Amino acid sequence: MVSELLAIESLATIASAIVAKKSSKVAGIITLTSSVSILAYLMIIGPRVLYDVVSLGAILPGNIVIGLTQVGWYFSFIVALVMLMASMFSLEYVKKLNATYWLLFNLTFLGAIGVTLSIDLVSFFLFWELMTWSSYLMVALGDTRAGLKYFLFSILGSISLLLAFALMWRLSGSTIIPKAFPIVATSSTAIRIQLIMLLTVGFGVKAAMFPIHVWAPEAYPATPQPFAALFSGGLAKLGAYGLALLTMFVSASKFMMFEDVVWGYVLAWLGAVTIIVGAVLAALQENVLKLIAYSSVSQMGYVVVGLALMTSLGMASALYQALNHALFGSLMFLIAGAVYLATGTLNFKDLGGIADKMPLTYTAALIAVLSSAGIPLTTGFNSKWMLFEALIIKNYYLIASAVFVGSALGFLYNIKFIYGIFLGQRPKSLENVNEVGLLALIPMLTLAFLNLAFGILPGIPLQYINTALTSLGIPSIEASLTGIYTNIGYWNVLYVSVGFVLAFGLAMVLFIAGGKLRRVSVLETYMSGFIPPENYVLRINYDFYQPLKFVFGRYLRLSVDRAYAWTASLFVKVADIIRKPIYLGDAQAYVWYIIATIILFFLIFIVGGV
């Protein structure tokens, strides 16, 4: 029953790749139709447990199990929703896309949705690799260097997962995830530490967790903006999905040990550092895509911190934040795509003042940055409020302080995003800018609406989050349609919404009744009595946070990226030293190497009694 979803997307992948050579628009329509079908199917059946046993026949021995779990359904919904918005936006972007794009776009989605529908480790890994390789090729087509970096880190993640899955199968005797994952909590200390480390690295790479995040800021901007929305809003969430499975099975177990608590504490600190580092670097970017890429790294840090707490409230906040970042993170990438379509540039120094030229895009952007910054009445506030409550209840005050600093720094890049693109003085080159088409506006406004709807009605996503938690034996959190309740406080959006509407209405009445209004241009300003001429540049889009760069300059030189580069160069030098006395270019010497190797193995077998 569930395997039909994969069949639909497989057919869409093949069909779109074939017809894209003649009509990219038709390929986009096929992709859009399949994504609508999959999202509609998921919404109709809801979170439930469904298993389909699929025989691989001559391809591989045995069977794989495809199906749904409550946790898998939740992440399937996130990926399918982002895919739908991205595929619709792609139709507006269609003139810049080709057959390769549609093939890799659909293959990536097939792999991503396959991961969430996998019930056994074999299918999980196969779909994980399909998703990884498809997204790698998309990145490499845009930027070879970024593709290589993403490839290397993906290899690290894949090897870690493969080793962990093999060890889990060996210990549990099963490849079924609900049977294999609990072995992490019931195995010996040495095995537990190995599994936790391998799974954290394997899933942490995809979630762009510090310090294995350095591929993301280059990989996201290297792809077309609709794909970047799926990359950040969907694929990164599958790293969170894997970490969620790990932390949920460990926390639901009766065998939690001291090393599990230590691992959770270290993981929480890694998440907090991810928030801060991502936020600082996002604020210092001079390109819109680079800013969004670093902000995505920062926002995923909240998910990591929440999962690391291994409490009901902490994990609920993480699952909520995963959905929230899918909403406003993918929206920000789509906004960047709309701006690029309208202006032809994404450099802050060339942008500014286009809010009145693109009012609907500006409205969506304003909602996106408010939600990203965690302003009340947006969905971004709810998950962050829950996370701070969970940290306080857990007595992790230092980590809470670090997360708070990261949240404050988040305001910086969000202000730069909205001001640098839409506000301030408009360059003359942008006077003829117009709003983008309907196929781009619909997904942006839909995501903007969901950011507000789930902000005012947190009970809607929380009912599915509670279902996911309770399915693994983890207690649910208390929530109503408009309220969230914890042991130390509550957040009722209804009261705040009513107060906001009344305050806003009063402000508008006073504003309108205050006297005659007139439009004031940007040039009608003064600086110490100096009235600037009409061609005077008032924009401060470039080097927006120069003081911040001055403060953090010495720390920015301590780059993780440079540390990896230095390590790689060291390995190359060592390998070169070892190579020179061995690789002599003499065939006779190579023959003696082979003979010596055979003798060595023979001696080892004799001594070992093999």
Side-chain angles (χ1 to χ4, degrees):
M1 185 176 182
V2 179
S3 55
E4 279 81 352
L5 290 176
L6 299 178
I8 292 172
E9 183 53 31
S10 299
L11 291 174
T13 301
I14 297 170
S16 62
I18 293 172
V19 303
K21 295 180 179 180
K22 294 185 177 180
S23 175
S24 185
K25 191 169 186 178
V26 174
I29 293 173
I30 293 173
T31 302
L32 178 63
T33 303
S34 69
S35 57
V36 168
S37 302
I38 291 173
L39 182 62
Y41 180 88
L42 289 170
M43 294 179 68
I44 290 171
I45 64 174
R48 62 174 70 181
V49 176
L50 293 171
Y51 286 5
D52 283 348
V53 179
V54 180
S55 175
L56 296 178
I59 302 175
L60 284 173
N63 303 318
I64 62 173
V65 183
I66 300 297
L68 273 178
T69 62
Q70 287 87 342
V71 182
W73 181 93
Y74 182 78
F75 283 91
S76 296
F77 174 80
I78 292 175
V79 173
L81 175 63
V82 175
M83 176 63 180
L84 173 58
M85 299 297 109
S87 57
M88 185 179 294
F89 191 95
S90 294
L91 289 173
E92 187 73 20
Y93 220 79
V94 74
K95 293 180 181 179
K96 301 180 181 293
L97 306 175
N98 53 29
T100 304
Y101 172 85
W102 293 113
L103 174 62
L104 295 178
F105 190 47
N106 279 286
L107 280 175
T108 302
F109 178 54
L110 176 61
I113 204 71
V115 168
T116 62
L117 297 179
S118 294
I119 305 299
D120 70 290
L121 297 175
V122 175
S123 59
F124 188 104
F125 187 77
L126 291 175
F127 282 118
W128 186 274
E129 288 303 289
L130 175 62
M131 171 187 69
T132 299
W133 280 95
S134 302
S135 55
Y136 154 69
L137 291 173
M138 186 72 87
V139 174
L141 288 173
D143 186 332
T144 305
R145 183 180 181 277
L148 178 60
K149 184 180 289 188
Y150 176 50
F151 172 77
L152 291 175
F153 278 92
S154 295
I155 289 294
L156 171 65
S158 295
I159 292 175
S160 298
L161 288 182
L162 186 60
L163 291 173
F165 288 175
L167 187 55
M168 291 161 67
W169 166 74
R170 179 72 180 270
L171 294 172
S172 66
S174 174
T175 61
I176 303 301
I177 289 175
K179 295 180 180 179
F181 261 84
I183 202 68
V184 178
T186 58
S187 56
S188 65
T189 298
I191 297 296
R192 180 189 285 108
I193 292 174
Q194 291 178 52
L195 285 173
I196 285 176
M197 293 295 294
L198 289 170
L199 292 170
T200 301
V201 171
F203 294 127
V205 167
K206 196 66 69 183
M209 182 184 73
F210 180 90
I212 44 180
H213 68 287
V214 295
W215 61 269
E218 294 185 27
Y220 292 162
T223 62
Q225 279 77 62
F227 186 86
L230 176 64
F231 207 166
S232 172
L235 271 61
K237 304 304 168 293
L238 297 183
Y241 173 54
L243 289 173
L245 289 178
L246 175 59
T247 55
M248 283 180 171
F249 277 115
V250 170
S251 62
S253 170
K254 297 178 181 178
F255 299 94
M256 278 195 69
M257 305 294 286
F258 175 73
E259 54 266 24
D260 301 327
V261 177
V262 172
W263 165 70
Y265 190 74
V266 172
L267 189 64
W269 268 114
L270 288 175
V273 173
T274 303
I275 296 170
I276 295 173
V277 171
V280 171
L281 294 176
L284 297 177
Q285 299 308 306
E286 302 301 340
N287 179 274
V288 175
L289 291 178
K290 283 290 187 74
L291 182 149
I292 303 172
Y294 275 109
S295 75
S296 295
V297 172
S298 179
Q299 293 293 335
M300 286 302 294
Y302 294 98
V303 178
V304 174
V305 174
L307 292 174
L309 298 181
M310 289 188 283
T311 63
S312 297
L313 187 59
M315 287 186 285
S317 74
L319 296 183
Y320 202 167
Q321 174 67 9
L323 171 63
N324 292 344
H325 180 249
L327 296 177
F328 62 73
S330 58
L331 175 54
M332 291 176 79
F333 273 112
L334 295 185
I335 290 165
V339 171
Y340 182 74
L341 286 175
T343 66
T345 183
L346 286 173
N347 295 317
F348 281 110
K349 64 183 180 63
D350 301 320
L351 293 168
I354 60 174
D356 58 337
K357 296 286 185 178
M358 305 177 70
L360 295 177
T361 301
Y362 169 64
T363 301
L366 182 61
I367 295 172
V369 298
L370 291 175
S371 189
S372 174
I375 302 300
L377 302 186
T378 64
T379 191
F381 174 83
N382 296 337
S383 57
K384 291 181 175 66
W385 180 86
M386 291 167 60
L387 179 59
F388 280 114
E389 293 278 303
L391 285 166
I392 293 170
I393 293 173
K394 189 82 172 180
N395 296 322
Y396 283 2
Y397 300 117
L398 285 177
I399 297 177
S401 301
V403 173
F404 180 80
V405 170
S407 298
L409 291 170
F411 280 91
L412 300 181
Y413 66 74
N414 283 301
I415 291 171
K416 182 172 183 175
F417 180 84
I418 197 71
Y419 176 87
I421 300 174
F422 296 100
L423 304 177
Q425 186 182 25
R426 181 169 59 243
K428 289 187 177 181
S429 59
L430 302 182
E431 288 297 332
N432 296 322
V433 167
N434 295 310
E435 186 63 270
V436 290
L438 194 62
L439 290 173
L441 287 173
I442 290 176
M444 288 193 296
L445 295 176
T446 301
L447 289 171
F449 169 77
L450 292 176
N451 272 281
L452 292 176
F454 291 161
I456 297 171
L457 304 172
I460 295 177
L462 283 175
Q463 66 174 321
Y464 298 109
I465 292 171
N466 276 334
T467 301
L469 293 176
T470 55
S471 68
L472 295 178
I474 301 170
S476 62
I477 65 168
E478 187 179 354
S480 64
L481 184 61
T482 60
I484 310 169
Y485 308 92
T486 72
N487 295 337
I488 59 175
Y490 69 94
W491 164 246
N492 194 305
V493 190
L494 180 62
Y495 299 152
V496 179
S497 301
V498 172
F500 175 80
V501 170
L502 292 175
F504 183 78
L506 178 61
M508 289 300 297
V509 169
L510 295 175
F511 179 70
I512 295 172
K516 188 177 180 180
L517 305 175
R518 72 179 183 89
R519 187 180 181 86
V520 179
S521 71
V522 175
L523 292 175
E524 290 185 273
T525 62
Y526 61 91
M527 296 175 290
S528 301
F530 170 70
I531 300 176
E534 194 166 333
N535 61 349
Y536 192 84
V537 178
L538 294 170
R539 296 193 306 278
I540 52 172
N541 302 34
Y542 184 75
D543 227 358
F544 195 83
Y545 288 120
Q546 190 176 25
L548 187 67
K549 189 180 294 184
F550 177 78
V551 171
F552 287 98
R554 66 178 65 181
Y555 305 107
L556 293 175
R557 286 193 290 270
L558 303 173
S559 168
V560 176
D561 218 352
R562 292 176 186 171
Y564 285 130
W566 179 85
T567 305
S569 65
L570 181 63
F571 273 105
V572 170
K573 291 177 181 177
V574 172
D576 195 49
I577 293 172
I578 297 173
R579 177 185 63 83
K580 287 180 179 178
I582 298 176
Y583 293 97
L584 304 174
D586 185 356
Q588 188 175 1
Y590 296 153
V591 171
W592 282 110
Y593 291 157
I594 295 172
I595 293 172
T597 303
I598 293 172
I599 293 173
L600 179 62
F601 275 111
F602 181 73
L603 292 174
I604 292 173
F605 289 157
I606 292 176
V607 173
V610 179

